[in-house]
Amino acid sequence: MTIAAKDIDAAADLPGNLQGGDYSPYHVFSAAEWSRFRADTPLTLTADEVQRLRSLNDPVDLREVRRIYLSLSRLLSAHVEASQILFQQRKRFLSMSDETKTPFVIGIAGSVAVGKSTTARILAELLARWPSSPKVDLITTDGFLYPNAILQRENMMDRKGFPESYDIGALLRFLSAIKAGQPNVKAPTYSHLTYDVIPDRFQTIDRPDILIFEGINVLQSRNLPADGKIVPMVSDFFDFSIYIDAEENLIHNWYVSRFMRLRETAFKDPQSFFHRYATISEDAARAIAEGLWHNINLKNLHQNILPTRPRADLILQKGQNHLTQTVALRKL
Ligand SMILES: Nc1ncnc2c1ncn2[C@@H]1O[C@H](COP(=O)(O)OP(=O)(O)O)[C@@H](O)[C@H]1O
Ligand SMILES: CC(C)(COP(=O)(O)O)[C@@H](O)C(=O)NCCC(=O)O
């Protein structure tokens, strides 16, 4: 999908200026307006299930699912259905009889700590409960990070999450195999506990109807290699993309407060990469979290993540308490 330069400028003003208007490539809705589009979409999750799906520090509840996610689920259902019809029509046009399925791929982007994982998990559950019972799989891009041993060797530990810290070739090969309808495609996995890729542990994706692909980098374009060859980018494989947005100071607070809560939980585990921060003083731990936020994640947000926002088909803009305030949907 191409957008004109003037559209990119207009979108770059989001979310401070989410009014829409003739020049914006987005339709912009308040949460209340957006919630009406759910029409008669049934609520198929219970309060307990939502609680199980949400990440630490993300207070999303059934009300938010009703307000925001049911309309989103309905919209995605329309997109998936249309793409399946188009796929069948193309097969007929080409007189092809093979039964290969091409999964519908949804990308979810946004800053570290903005709540991508919660959104991805809730969507995956809602979509899997459509009457057609599609097979839905979820992959996070952190498995495609280079292992710490390589990042350390290359002096890149403070670049974790930056474009150069991912094995982009492996990521593109994975998506390409998925889109080609290949069975049993393996994705590497990551542990937030050990803060590293898990050696020899893979997630196997076997011809889903829908794949949700979540990570900070999924809307990034790739720098042209020195030989000038045109290379695909991750979003070339997406049928729909979502950017989760919030004001910088809110994401900063969410990152630091999550870090402080992790001290009480995950960091207590001696296996945790951050175990040493479970025992230092609260002030010292807060200073560490501030350092990680400002020196790594905020820089990455400014340099590499926020600039990808105008590529998204849909932008969920969150306010206090992770509650969605505005939804911007790209005009087709
Ligand atoms: N150091 C950590 N230890 C354990 N879990 C973590 C740690 N950092 C992040 N997480 C968890 O990893 C998941 C992904 O976090 P993140 O990449 O910041 O994305 P987001 O907050 O947008 O989902 C979240 O569920 C978060 O709670
Ligand atoms: C692993 C992450 C880069 C997120 O990766 P993603 O799943 O979005 O590909 C991030 O959680 C992270 O560890 N950032 C590095 C700085 C920090 O420790 O917060």
Side-chain angles (χ1 to χ4, degrees), residues 112 141-142 145 160-161 166 192 195 215-216 255 274 296-297:
V112 166
T141 52
D142 43 17
L145 282 161
K160 198 178 260 211
Y166 290 91
H192 281 278
Y195 203 61
I216 52 184
Y255 180 82
F274 290 120
I296 307 180
N297 298 316

Side-chain angles (χ1 to χ4, degrees), residues 10 24 147 167 275 324 330:
S24 167
D167 183 349
H275 182 54
T324 305
R330 177 177 292 289

Side-chain angles (χ1 to χ4, degrees), residues 283-304:
D283 284 351
R286 199 173 287 279
I288 298 287
E290 291 286 350
L292 288 168
W293 173 254
H294 283 100
N295 299 327
I296 307 180
N297 298 316
L298 181 62
K299 271 193 195 152
N300 201 11
L301 176 59
H302 286 165
Q303 292 171 16
N304 302 304

Side-chain angles (χ1 to χ4, degrees), residues 254-322:
W254 296 337
Y255 180 82
V256 174
S257 59
R258 183 175 78 186
F259 189 94
M260 298 310 279
R261 287 185 66 178
L262 283 165
R263 284 180 82 221
E264 312 296 324
T265 52
F267 295 178
K268 287 221 153 90
D269 184 332
Q271 278 215 65
S272 170
F273 181 81
F274 290 120
H275 182 54
R276 68 206 117 133
Y277 303 137
T279 47
I280 58 176
S281 74
E282 196 169 322
D283 284 351
R286 199 173 287 279
I288 298 287
E290 291 286 350
L292 288 168
W293 173 254
H294 283 100
N295 299 327
I296 307 180
N297 298 316
L298 181 62
K299 271 193 195 152
N300 201 11
L301 176 59
H302 286 165
Q303 292 171 16
N304 302 304
I305 305 171
L306 205 48
T308 68
R309 188 177 60 188
R311 290 220 181 94
D313 292 308
L314 183 120
I315 303 169
L316 289 179
Q317 193 207 351
K318 289 174 161 193
Q320 294 286 348
N321 278 335
H322 282 268

Side-chain angles (χ1 to χ4, degrees), residues 16-318:
N17 176 21
L18 275 179
Q19 290 94 358
D22 290 348
Y23 291 93
S24 167
Y26 290 93
H27 293 293
V28 179
F29 305 99
S30 68
E33 287 166 334
W34 177 254
S35 74
R36 284 188 218 117
F37 302 134
R38 68 179 184 246
D40 55 0
T41 309
L43 179 62
T44 49
L45 286 173
T46 64
D48 283 352
E49 284 165 333
V50 175
Q51 190 166 357
R52 182 174 51 78
L53 294 169
R54 69 192 186 196
S55 300
L56 186 74
N57 222 33
D58 189 334
V60 64
D61 60 9
L62 212 49
R63 188 171 162 263
E64 183 72 350
V65 173
R66 221 181 266 119
R67 228 168 53 105
I68 304 299
Y69 289 87
L70 292 188
S71 300
L72 184 50
S73 167
R74 181 166 172 242
L75 175 74
L76 287 170
S77 163
H79 276 260
V80 171
E81 204 178 305
S83 103
Q84 283 167 348
I85 292 170
L86 182 62
F87 187 63
Q88 291 305 331
Q89 284 176 343
R90 273 174 56 117
K91 277 216 292 206
R92 234 176 288 137
F93 174 81
L94 296 169
S95 306
M96 283 167 71
S97 55
D98 81 297
E99 290 305 307
T100 317
K101 260 196 326 191
T102 297
F104 187 93
V105 182
I106 301 170
I108 301 186
S111 168
V112 166
V114 79
K116 299 178 299 299
S117 326
T118 303
T119 296
R121 286 196 291 261
I122 289 180
L123 268 186
E125 288 291 329
L126 279 177
L127 307 195
R129 288 162 200 226
W130 286 345
S132 57
S133 306
K135 182 172 190 288
V136 183
D137 280 320
L138 170 57
I139 286 283
T140 55
T141 52
D142 43 17
F144 293 91
L145 282 161
Y146 286 114
N148 285 355
I150 294 184
L151 295 179
Q152 270 150 1
R153 191 188 68 204
E154 303 294 327
N155 201 16
M156 287 194 341
M157 276 305 272
D158 59 355
R159 305 285 292 173
K160 198 178 260 211
F162 282 66
E164 65 273 22
S165 65
Y166 290 91
D167 183 349
I168 189 80
L171 216 152
L172 290 169
R173 282 193 296 280
F174 168 81
L175 282 172
S176 169
I178 291 286
K179 269 297 192 192
Q182 283 183 19
N184 299 320
V185 184
K186 284 189 162 56
T189 56
Y190 184 82
S191 162
H192 281 278
L193 189 72
T194 59
Y195 203 61
D196 203 354
V197 174
I198 310 176
D200 302 325
R201 190 183 305 157
F202 296 90
Q203 192 179 339
T204 303
I205 304 296
D206 189 21
R207 289 164 298 182
D209 298 295
I210 300 171
L211 177 71
I212 300 181
F213 199 66
E214 175 251 300
I216 52 184
N217 58 346
V218 299
L219 290 173
Q220 279 161 17
S221 57
R222 214 179 152 184
N223 289 334
L224 283 180
D227 62 8
K229 251 189 358 208
I230 300 290
V231 282
M233 52 192 205
V234 173
S235 59
D236 287 344
F237 298 94
F238 292 167
D239 297 281
F240 196 89
S241 57
I242 300 172
Y243 184 97
I244 309 192
D245 198 19
E247 278 177 19
E248 202 175 287
N249 61 328
L250 288 178
I251 314 178
H252 168 215
N253 290 346
W254 296 337
Y255 180 82
V256 174
S257 59
R258 183 175 78 186
F259 189 94
M260 298 310 279
R261 287 185 66 178
L262 283 165
R263 284 180 82 221
E264 312 296 324
T265 52
F267 295 178
K268 287 221 153 90
D269 184 332
Q271 278 215 65
S272 170
F273 181 81
F274 290 120
H275 182 54
R276 68 206 117 133
Y277 303 137
T279 47
I280 58 176
S281 74
E282 196 169 322
D283 284 351
R286 199 173 287 279
I288 298 287
E290 291 286 350
L292 288 168
W293 173 254
H294 283 100
N295 299 327
I296 307 180
N297 298 316
L298 181 62
K299 271 193 195 152
N300 201 11
L301 176 59
H302 286 165
Q303 292 171 16
N304 302 304
I305 305 171
L306 205 48
T308 68
R309 188 177 60 188
R311 290 220 181 94
D313 292 308
L314 183 120
I315 303 169
L316 289 179
Q317 193 207 351
K318 289 174 161 193

